[in-house]
Amino acid sequence: MFRHILLLVLMLAFSCQAFYLPGLPPQDYCRSGTNKTCLTAIQVFVNRLTSSLGLFSYDYSAFDFCGNESKPINQNLGQELFGERIKTSPYKFSFDTNNLCTEVCRRSYNSSDERLEFLKQGILYSYTHWWIIDNMPLSWCYETIDSTEFCTPNFPIGCYVNKAGTAEGACGINEAFNKADTFYLFNHVDIVIYFRPSLHDKGISRLVKATLAPKSYSENYCSGPPLAIPSKSEGMLNIPYTYSVYFQPEYNLEWATRWSYIFNSTQYTNVLWFSFLNSGIVNLFLLLSFALLYFRRIKSRIAASKQMKVVPVESPWESLRCDVFRVPPKPKMFSVFVGVGFQIFWTTIITLCSGALGFLSPANRGALGTTIVTLFVSFGSLAGYKSARLYKTFEREDWKSNAVLTSLSISGFIFMIFFAVNLIYWNHGSSAAVSAWIFAEVVLIWFGGMLPLTILGTYLGQRKAKFHHPGFVNSECREIPQNSCLKKPIISIILGGLLPFGTIFIPFFFILNSIWFHQYYTCFGYALLALVNLSISCGLVTILLCYLHLTAEDYRWWWRSFLTAGFTAVYLFIYATHFYIKHVEAKTFATFIAYFGVTTIMTTLLFLFCGEQPFIFYFFYRNI
């Protein structure tokens, strides 16, 4: 059975290459005048503009590009929460009809125009376009230093040559970008669309690739020197926005794998496999330590007790059998933490399995956010059930307040941080700001969905029998002897999170890149493997440290076990702080609040997830 599970997990890891989703049908295109049921016009959609230097994204219209009258398209909840703002654009052309230098619009600015200054700031902070054709990105492909083609799903709005005359960013692609302290705007794009003709229906084709090359021209008809904008410009500035489009047949690409050329440019498979190998070695060491402890100490003592009529001299951990299941301090809050951790555990597992199977492809926009919200709300019943049964095990009967606390405490804390971060986005006019209607929808889902489900789960849980613990609990508390410094609770908690942190920090780096630098994350299979390794390491580390404290005659293991595994999140918060210091360029108060607000939400969820793992081990052991 274990070999079959391992084989399934490995197959899911390799499935990070399967990035298209059943249920997204292909669209057929044909030339105008063809008497077929197909589209003849190709519409370019524009999304928000993002930066790898600043954390705030902006709507397409914020930079005064062509198409301010564009209308937003309907988006799902995941797209709204993740800040996507897709709109139609004036870039629209006929299929298989080449256009050479078509003007879209013109913009004029004087030297004191605020729109021009905002455009310069966008160029300075390397903001990039995200354009979409037929639900796939319009990619910018260029050669790297080692003569390999690199394709990125976005392209810059311009580039800057600093006061020292050094070309920054995309200014290195053209030697004509050479004036010091000058901004260069990419106001022209050469679009190349590759289509695959149908082998069965002549005249019908499907789009399999779309690339563009950003260029800068200061004159009409897409010629002349680049459009240079001095840092201190004077007089009027006229900007023409133009494009050229070319169509080419492509027989080597399949429609189902048309995203592959983008993902192949961002491969980090070797790094992820190294991370998996590293965490596997850590878990192997923990398993060997656990096996040595169990077979040499615990199992032999249990066997001796069964075979001898005279009870042998007790080990320290055996003498605690009447105290070890004593009710911990603040049992209601502990039950809530364990219950919500169980909810997060299953939400994460199902989400990653769905992604590994291809259901959370980037082509299925917003699917990741929608799936997380839906599963988290649905699994509120599991949180209520687990919390109620554990609370009943602690001989407590106030299940109604336990249900409300399980539903509202952690979710309310996350909601308040999310609201505070959203205020920062609102204040800066960022497109990542969630509208009041979406907030109302989230609150409705929260109170209309999660709260009733949690109450239902709590009601069912309190009607079930409590978890049975072997032995009984003495009425009098046993005195705990003075222990060495290494056996102090705080020391073991701090040290306990180190090994689990070592199994997860490399995948966590790529997750941070995906969130803040707007990269596609598709290797859900590797993330699932990392999650399995994290769960195993959290459970084993906690068991070993718990045994260490029991041998020191300290029976207070409930909270300590949760905090030992959960302290992994503290290390990841420190690592995220290092990421902010090293990789985020625009360090302002607003970016600080936005970054650490989102990081706090992530680490809080991870704290509950990791803290839950020892109890998953425990309750699984009690049921086999």
Side-chain angles (χ1 to χ4, degrees):
M1 181 66 179
F2 175 76
R3 287 181 299 195
H4 292 155
I5 295 175
L6 180 61
L7 179 61
L8 176 61
V9 171
L10 290 174
M11 290 173 64
L12 291 177
F14 284 109
S15 70
C16 69
Q17 302 296 329
F19 41 78
Y20 232 93
L21 171 69
L24 291 178
Q27 180 62 59
D28 294 331
Y29 290 88
C30 57
R31 294 177 68 98
S32 58
T34 305
N35 189 20
K36 295 181 180 296
T37 56
C38 54
L39 292 181
T40 59
I42 298 178
Q43 173 69 65
V44 176
F45 295 91
V46 292
N47 204 341
R48 59 181 177 172
L49 281 85
T50 62
S51 170
S52 60
L53 302 179
L55 301 184
F56 296 111
S57 58
Y58 290 97
D59 191 83
Y60 180 78
S61 59
F63 291 95
D64 196 37
F65 295 124
C66 297
N68 288 340
E69 69 283 355
S70 299
K71 297 181 180 180
I73 65 172
N74 293 329
Q75 299 186 141
N76 56 44
L77 180 61
Q79 289 176 292
E80 293 287 349
L81 293 177
F82 278 44
E84 288 199 26
R85 301 294 180 262
I86 301 177
K87 296 181 176 181
T88 59
S89 78
Y91 296 87
K92 187 175 182 179
F93 31 82
S94 299
F95 174 74
D96 203 15
T97 302
N98 295 338
N99 290 333
L100 181 62
C101 196
T102 302
E103 183 175 304
V104 182
C105 71
R106 283 178 176 267
R107 293 288 185 262
S108 297
Y109 308 101
N110 57 41
S111 58
S112 60
D113 199 318
E114 292 182 357
R115 296 174 299 171
L116 179 60
E117 290 302 317
F118 191 72
L119 183 61
K120 290 179 181 178
Q121 289 297 312
I123 295 174
L124 186 63
Y125 282 99
S126 302
Y127 273 84
T128 57
H129 291 280
W130 294 77
W131 288 8
I132 303 166
I133 283 183
D134 193 39
N135 201 37
M136 64 178 176
L138 252 172
S139 305
W140 178 32
C141 297
Y142 55 91
E143 279 195 3
T144 59
I145 299 177
D146 56 358
S147 299
T148 59
E149 186 181 61
F150 183 85
C151 293
T152 177
N154 52 354
F155 66 96
I157 65 176
C159 62
Y160 175 63
V161 178
N162 61 28
K163 294 181 180 180
T166 303
E168 297 181 356
C171 279
I173 65 175
N174 192 338
E175 294 180 354
F177 301 153
N178 52 24
K179 293 182 180 180
D181 198 18
T182 301
F183 298 91
Y184 290 93
L185 177 67
F186 294 136
N187 60 329
H188 175 86
V189 288
D190 285 334
I191 302 174
V192 182
I193 299 178
Y194 300 86
F195 61 92
R196 183 183 177 92
S198 173
L199 299 178
H200 308 289
D201 193 350
K202 190 175 181 180
I204 297 293
S205 301
R206 292 175 180 174
L207 307 188
V208 293
K209 185 177 180 180
T211 63
L212 60 75
K215 296 181 179 180
S216 178
Y217 296 114
S218 60
E219 299 178 6
N220 290 333
Y221 305 109
C222 309
S223 62
L227 180 61
I229 307 174
S231 180
K232 297 180 180 179
S233 56
E234 297 180 358
M236 293 295 296
L237 176 65
N238 295 311
I239 302 177
Y241 286 95
T242 57
Y243 74 91
S244 300
V245 60
Y246 308 93
F247 288 85
Q248 292 186 17
E250 174 61 62
Y251 297 94
N252 295 324
L253 284 177
E254 297 285 346
W255 182 88
T257 58
R258 61 181 186 164
W259 287 64
S260 59
Y261 72 98
I262 299 174
F263 295 149
N264 290 338
S265 297
T266 57
Q267 284 294 316
Y268 35 75
T269 306
N270 293 335
V271 177
L272 288 172
W273 275 117
F274 172 77
S275 168
F276 174 68
L277 180 63
N278 172 63
S279 57
I281 293 174
V282 170
N283 285 336
L284 180 61
F285 168 75
L286 292 173
L287 280 170
L288 291 176
S289 301
F290 177 77
L292 183 65
L293 170 67
Y294 180 77
F295 287 107
R296 295 195 60 179
R297 297 284 185 90
I298 302 176
K299 188 177 181 179
S300 60
R301 295 290 300 174
I302 295 174
S305 299
K306 291 181 179 179
Q307 294 176 2
M308 298 175 62
K309 294 182 180 180
V310 180
V311 178
V313 178
E314 291 183 341
S315 298
W317 60 270
E318 292 175 287
S319 64
L320 300 177
R321 60 181 176 269
C322 295
D323 293 276
V324 73
F325 293 111
R326 192 173 300 280
V327 176
K330 300 186 182 302
K332 182 180 292 185
M333 185 56 65
F334 183 82
S335 301
V336 168
F337 278 17
V338 173
V340 177
F342 195 62
Q343 176 187 13
I344 295 170
F345 172 79
W346 283 110
T347 299
T348 309
I349 289 292
I350 301 301
T351 299
L352 292 182
C353 287
S354 300
L357 293 172
F359 290 96
L360 303 182
S361 159
N364 192 11
R365 302 180 184 277
L368 177 60
T370 304
T371 300
I372 292 174
V373 172
T374 303
L375 291 177
F376 187 78
V377 170
S378 301
F379 290 151
S381 56
L382 296 182
Y385 180 84
K386 184 73 171 287
S387 177
R389 285 200 68 185
L390 186 58
Y391 194 54
K392 186 176 182 179
T393 302
F394 294 148
E395 306 293 341
R396 301 298 193 271
E397 301 296 334
D398 187 15
W399 66 273
K400 295 179 181 178
S401 64
N402 177 258
V404 174
L405 197 62
T406 301
S407 178
L408 301 182
S409 58
I410 304 300
S411 300
F413 174 72
I414 293 173
F415 183 83
M416 287 189 296
I417 295 178
F418 180 68
F419 183 76
V421 171
N422 205 62
L423 286 178
I424 298 294
Y425 286 140
W426 271 338
N427 186 54
H428 282 73
S430 173
S431 64
V434 176
S435 66
W437 288 109
I438 299 301
F439 260 109
E441 185 177 346
V442 170
V443 172
L444 180 62
I445 292 173
W446 188 9
F447 284 99
M450 183 172 168
L451 181 58
L453 286 173
T454 306
I455 294 175
L456 175 63
T458 306
Y459 174 75
L460 296 176
Q462 65 90 26
R463 290 176 61 88
K464 297 286 288 187
K466 64 182 181 180
F467 294 113
H468 174 70
H469 299 310
F472 61 93
V473 178
N474 286 334
S475 57
E476 301 261 339
C477 295
R478 182 187 182 91
E479 183 179 354
I480 300 173
Q482 187 70 26
N483 291 315
S484 62
C485 180
L486 290 177
K487 293 184 180 180
K488 296 289 185 182
I490 187 64
I491 300 299
S492 64
I493 289 171
I494 292 174
L495 295 178
L498 275 174
L499 287 178
F501 168 73
T503 66
I504 198 67
F505 78 95
I506 293 179
F508 189 66
F509 170 80
F510 291 108
I511 292 174
L512 289 176
N513 265 327
S514 177
I515 293 174
W516 298 114
F517 297 152
H518 314 285
Q519 298 178 3
Y520 290 127
Y521 189 86
T522 57
C523 288
F524 293 97
Y526 290 102
L528 183 60
L529 286 177
L531 194 74
V532 171
N533 277 323
L534 176 65
S535 300
I536 294 173
S537 59
C538 284
L540 292 177
V541 165
T542 305
I543 290 172
L544 293 172
L545 289 176
C546 182
Y547 176 78
L548 178 67
H549 287 285
L550 290 177
T551 56
E553 301 185 38
D554 189 347
Y555 54 82
R556 300 170 299 182
W557 67 279
W558 290 98
W559 275 108
R560 185 178 298 164
S561 297
F562 194 97
L563 295 176
T564 297
F567 205 80
T568 305
V570 177
Y571 287 109
L572 286 174
F573 187 89
I574 296 172
Y575 182 76
T577 303
H578 166 74
F579 183 91
Y580 175 81
I581 295 172
K582 186 175 181 180
H583 296 284
V584 177
E585 295 290 337
K587 294 182 178 67
T588 63
F589 178 75
T591 58
F592 178 87
I593 296 298
Y595 181 90
F596 284 100
V598 175
T599 301
T600 300
I601 293 175
M602 292 172 58
T603 51
T604 299
L605 296 175
L606 189 66
F607 167 76
L608 296 171
F609 173 88
C610 293
E612 170 68 18
Q613 301 313 304
F615 298 94
I616 289 180
F617 273 61
Y618 171 71
F619 291 116
F620 175 75
Y621 172 76
R622 294 301 306 164
N623 288 297
I624 62 173

